[in-house]
Amino acid sequence: MEELTTSKFKKLIAQCRDIFSKKLIDYGTAWRILRIPSLTDQIHIKANRIRGIQEHGKPMINENQQTEFIGIINYSIILLIQLELGVVSQPDMESEKALELYDQKVEKAFELMKRKNHDYGEVWKEMRVVSLTDLIIQKLFRVKSIDTNDGVTLLSEGIDANFLDIINYSIFALIHLGENNTKKTPIDEN
């Protein structure tokens, strides 16, 4: 895997973690009460909003594709934590523990990305952001189907594998969006 991909992944995850950390200060771990279907639906809303921005252009509220992809990453990490620990009826976790678990899930996503990039040759670099968005939405429909089947799969990966992919697809999209922003010319801005 290219060093550049590693450094971009780490830089973007640091931004996501900073937002997660600040929201822990604002809200604590209120997300601990969220069940998997609720988190899946929240991520689905964000992915569909991104798709709407891609299809219709400028959003009417002050959140762009980048903001929504960051939200998808952070909610996906929360979902992975919930899968591991289960849902509670009252927030039960200190911020330090939440950040420790966050880092563990990021490490799993990063290791998966390295393995897949080795096998696929970083083909994601040739993909478009709209394709990555569609893959995220497809993964969400898969998760909903798995959830309908009480989490049982006959041949397919489980819920956790789908959300690790969603995290990595979102990182790839953020990398592409960052590169597209640096390539703009004055003509592009009109």
Side-chain angles (χ1 to χ4, degrees):
M1 182 172 73
E2 287 186 23
E3 289 298 317
L4 189 56
T5 300
T6 296
S7 69
K8 287 180 180 182
F9 180 99
K10 290 182 177 185
K11 179 182 176 188
L12 289 166
I13 281 295
Q15 291 172 0
C16 295
R17 188 183 192 276
D18 182 61
I19 290 168
F20 182 82
S21 177
K22 288 176 179 168
K23 289 197 176 195
L24 283 173
I25 294 167
D26 289 346
Y27 306 127
T29 57
W31 49 265
R32 286 285 291 130
I33 65 135
L34 293 172
R35 293 174 283 185
I36 301 307
S38 299
L39 287 162
T40 301
D41 287 346
Q42 182 63 35
I43 296 164
H44 196 210
I45 289 167
K46 290 189 169 301
N48 275 305
R49 181 154 188 282
I50 292 167
R51 190 171 173 157
I53 292 169
Q54 292 168 348
E55 291 175 356
H56 306 295
K58 193 167 178 89
M60 296 196 60
I61 60 173
N62 192 23
E63 290 180 344
N64 58 25
Q65 290 183 73
Q66 290 91 330
T67 304
E68 297 295 2
F69 279 117
I70 290 169
I72 287 172
I73 291 166
N74 284 342
Y75 274 114
S76 294
I77 292 169
I78 288 169
L79 187 144
L80 291 169
I81 293 169
Q82 294 294 78
L83 275 175
E84 178 183 332
L85 300 181
V87 177
V88 296
S89 58
Q90 294 285 322
D92 66 343
M93 187 182 299
E94 297 295 323
S95 295
E96 296 80 23
K97 180 66 176 176
L99 288 168
E100 177 185 318
L101 291 166
Y102 185 99
D103 293 340
Q104 289 174 11
K105 301 311 173 195
V106 165
E107 187 60 30
K108 283 183 85 167
F110 179 69
E111 289 303 318
L112 177 64
M113 182 195 67
K114 287 194 313 188
R115 289 191 310 273
K116 286 192 173 185
N117 278 348
H118 176 272
D119 291 352
Y120 292 100
E122 293 196 322
V123 73
W124 64 268
K125 291 180 177 181
E126 299 169 24
M127 295 176 69
R128 292 168 246 180
V129 175
V130 294
S131 298
L132 292 163
T133 303
D134 289 350
L135 287 171
I136 290 169
I137 293 169
Q138 176 198 34
K139 291 270 184 190
L140 292 165
F141 280 117
R142 287 180 178 182
V143 167
K144 288 180 180 189
S145 181
I146 293 169
D147 192 46
T148 299
N149 296 328
D150 296 322
V152 177
T153 60
L154 299 176
L155 193 60
S156 305
E157 300 173 312
I159 292 174
D160 58 337
N162 283 283
F163 282 97
L164 290 170
D165 283 340
I166 288 171
I167 291 167
N168 287 329
Y169 295 160
S170 297
I171 289 288
F172 298 154
L174 287 168
I175 291 171
H176 282 311
L177 289 168
E179 289 170 353
N180 289 342
N181 284 340
T182 60
K183 292 179 186 175
K184 282 188 175 180
T185 65
I187 295 170
D188 293 328
E189 295 173 5
N190 292 330

